[in-house]
Amino acid sequence: MLIEVEPTPNPSTRKFLPGTTVMEAGSRDFPSAETATASPLAEALFATGEVEGVFFGRDFISVTAQPNVDWRGLEVDVLQILLDHFSSGAPLFRAGTAEGIHIADAPAFAEDPEDADIIDQIKELIETRVRPAVAQDGGDIIYRGYKDRTLYLQMQGACSGCPSSTITLKRGIEGLIRHYVPEVESVEAI
C-alpha cells in the first residue's frame, strides 16, 4: 500500500492520502487526544506524543504536529500507523458505541426565519464550491450561522490554526460568498 503525503498551507499539518475511502460521508475533527476515544486510529496518532490534531476527510487524513515538532521524524511514525491501520482492515471507529457518530453542530445562535433563502444559498455555495477547495488543503469548513448580514464559519483540520486561514477566509471565501449572495457583508471564523 502506498500512502501519499502532501504539505498543506498550514506548516504544522500534513495531508495523508491512503488511496482508499477514509470516511464514506462527512468528516470528523479530533482537535485533542481527549476527543479521539471514538477512533482507534486517531488514538494511535495522538499516542505518538507529538500530534496536536487529527482530521478525517473523505479520502484523506490530516495530522497536525505539536509546536516545535520536526515533521521529518513524525512523518515516519504517522505513515507506519496509517499503514498498519489500513493494511489490517481495522475499523475507523469503535463498534458498539455512539461515539463514532458525528452530527453537524447546530448554528451558534438563533437565526431569523426571514433569512432562510439567504441561508440556503450560503449553504449551497459552501457545499459546492468552498468545501471541495478547502478539502484540497486537508481541512473542512462548517457553517455555524448567519445573523445581521454576517456569516459565521468554523475551520477544521489543516485550516484550523493555519497562519493563512484568515487570508483564505477574508479574501477568498468572503469574496466568493459576497459575489453570489450580496446580502452577506462579512464572513467571520468562530
Side-chain angles (χ1 to χ4, degrees):
M1 169 178 229
L2 174 68
I3 298 176
E4 293 180 51
V5 182
E6 294 180 357
T8 70
N10 183 345
S12 299
T13 304
R14 298 285 186 277
K15 180 179 172 183
F16 296 84
L17 298 126
T20 187
T21 300
V22 176
M23 295 272 298
E24 290 292 334
S27 61
R28 184 71 188 265
D29 191 29
F30 300 97
S32 67
E34 294 76 29
T35 63
T37 59
S39 172
L41 177 56
E43 276 187 325
L45 291 166
F46 279 107
T48 65
E50 297 182 311
V51 171
E52 183 174 80
V54 175
F55 180 81
F56 297 155
R58 187 183 64 74
D59 61 353
F60 68 90
I61 296 144
S62 291
V63 178
T64 302
Q66 291 184 356
N68 302 317
V69 168
D70 184 358
W71 260 108
R72 289 176 290 197
L74 179 57
E75 187 173 298
V76 172
D77 293 340
V78 170
L79 283 168
Q80 187 60 56
I81 291 167
L82 294 176
L83 281 169
D84 289 347
H85 173 83
F86 287 106
S87 295
S88 72
L92 194 58
F93 296 102
R94 288 195 164 70
T97 71
E99 289 181 288
I101 299 171
H102 179 68
I103 299 171
D105 296 325
F109 41 78
E111 296 172 323
D112 187 342
E114 291 183 16
D115 291 334
D117 288 341
I118 295 168
I119 292 168
D120 287 345
Q121 290 175 43
I122 292 168
K123 287 181 176 180
E124 182 179 344
L125 277 171
I126 290 169
E127 274 309 305
T128 60
R129 296 194 178 221
V130 178
R131 287 185 84 200
V134 172
Q136 290 292 320
D137 288 337
D140 200 4
I141 192 159
I142 306 298
Y143 172 86
R144 297 292 289 141
Y146 174 76
K147 186 174 185 173
D148 299 328
R149 301 179 66 85
T150 299
L151 170 61
Y152 297 93
L153 301 171
Q154 179 183 0
M155 308 293 262
Q156 293 183 328
C159 300
S160 179
C162 176
S164 63
S165 66
T166 302
I167 294 167
T168 299
L169 188 71
K170 290 310 234 176
R171 291 189 186 158
I173 297 168
E174 184 175 85
L176 175 79
I177 298 287
R178 290 179 66 190
H179 175 78
Y180 288 102
V181 187
E183 293 85 356
V184 175
E185 289 181 355
S186 170
V187 177
E188 301 293 331
I190 57 172

